[in-house]
Amino acid sequence: MDLLKELWRYMRVRKKFWLLPIIAMMLVVGGLLVFAKGSVIAPFVYTLF
């Protein structure tokens, strides 16, 4: 959680709000890959990449 707070503080102070969608998509894709690793949908997810 400290990392997220520090990232938010950095974006707020330096006015780099354009980083927010990039970080959000990285988290979504990472979560999808972790979720699909042991799942039945894994072959379908991996074909996307």
Side-chain angles (χ1 to χ4, degrees):
M1 291 306 285
D2 283 339
L3 179 65
L4 293 177
K5 288 179 186 177
E6 193 171 326
L7 274 172
W8 176 249
R9 194 175 307 127
Y10 172 78
M11 287 189 293
R12 195 178 68 221
V13 169
R14 304 256 195 253
K15 307 284 191 249
K16 302 230 184 237
F17 292 112
W18 56 270
L19 288 173
L20 191 61
I22 297 169
I23 294 170
M25 286 306 297
M26 287 174 61
L27 290 173
V28 167
V29 169
L32 182 64
L33 289 175
V34 168
F35 171 72
K37 183 169 174 69
S39 175
V40 180
I41 61 169
F44 303 110
V45 172
Y46 286 117
T47 58
L48 296 174
F49 302 104

